[in-house]
Amino acid sequence: MFKPLLLFGSLALLPAIGLADEPDAIEKATNPLHLSTSVALQDYYTPELYGCDRHLNDALFRATVPVAAGDWVPVPQILRMTVPLATRPQPGGYSTGLGDINLFDIFLLKQDGVKIGVGPLITASSASEDELGSGKWQAGLSAIAIKSTPQWMAGTLVQWQKSFAGDEARRDVETATFQPIVIYKLPKGWYVRTSGIWTWDRESDDYYIPVGLGGGRAWKAGDKVVSAFIEPQWTVAHKGDGAPEFTLFAGVSIVM
């Protein structure tokens, strides 16, 4: 299981690495609609669930690649792939392995003022063990809107997906998520952030709403921007067992 503490240590080292005086460093590191290639390692560690005293962990490898506008598609696209390493409780212990891989393609329809992107997404039934994934192939839509100023960045990412194939013995899947994103930019590359993902299981009608408050820093490393952050998240409303009570979210990214 990937330990979030490995990421915490990176923040303590930042003052020794260098300052992010460039005004676009935070923008490049935190804006999901920035047209830059990036790789990120993120971790969601949940020490306790409602109705269960076991823990969960999801270590995510995430790669983002922009595609320039062309003759066939007249607007830029942003491709993002997420590969999870999941840890789930089992009788007598825990199981860790590959989870369900997600890919979405955002078409950047509006680039001035409030940036708006819309596109399809697909989640593969790729889990290495049954308990680490849904057992279903899923498809759906993503929509994102972002407004950025020299002091703030705010917006939201909305996703919906529904199963269409997979293990017939597993239950159908239909989920909707709403992710408010707010970044407050501070001097020398520091920033305050919140980005909890509100999740609604449309099959069971269960839901949970986490609210986070954390901080991070972005800095220049040659011609790249590196960012690290920590964001504790608390569930302020939920329905159904199995929702996280508290989650520690942390990450490191490199933007080319």
Side-chain angles (χ1 to χ4, degrees), residues 42-65:
Q42 300 179 349
D43 192 79
Y44 285 89
Y45 173 64
T46 301
E48 193 166 340
L49 308 170
Y50 285 103
C52 175
D53 61 358
R54 311 296 293 277
H55 69 263
L56 306 179
N57 197 81
D58 288 285
L60 310 178
F61 172 77
R62 180 166 284 167
T64 303
V65 179

Side-chain angles (χ1 to χ4, degrees), residues 46 48-51 207-208 235 237-246:
T46 301
E48 193 166 340
L49 308 170
Y50 285 103
Y207 65 87
Y208 68 94
T235 296
H238 80 284
K239 177 187 174 186
D241 290 338
E245 291 190 29
F246 168 79

Side-chain angles (χ1 to χ4, degrees), residues 67 76-80 103-107 118-122 142:
V67 179
Q77 301 172 64
I78 299 173
L79 295 170
R80 192 180 83 178
L103 175 68
F104 73 70
D105 183 5
I106 289 291
F107 295 82
V118 178
L121 67 86
I122 188 165
S142 296

Side-chain angles (χ1 to χ4, degrees), residues 31 51 53 60 85 88 102 112 148 153 181 187 190-191 200 221:
N31 191 333
D53 61 358
L60 310 178
L85 181 68
R88 295 292 182 270
N102 175 266
D112 298 322
S148 187
M153 186 191 75
I181 303 167
W190 292 97
Y191 56 88
W200 178 23

Side-chain angles (χ1 to χ4, degrees), residues 21-34:
D21 294 325
E22 298 79 357
D24 67 339
I26 299 176
E27 183 74 11
K28 289 185 70 173
T30 61
N31 191 333
L33 290 182
H34 198 283

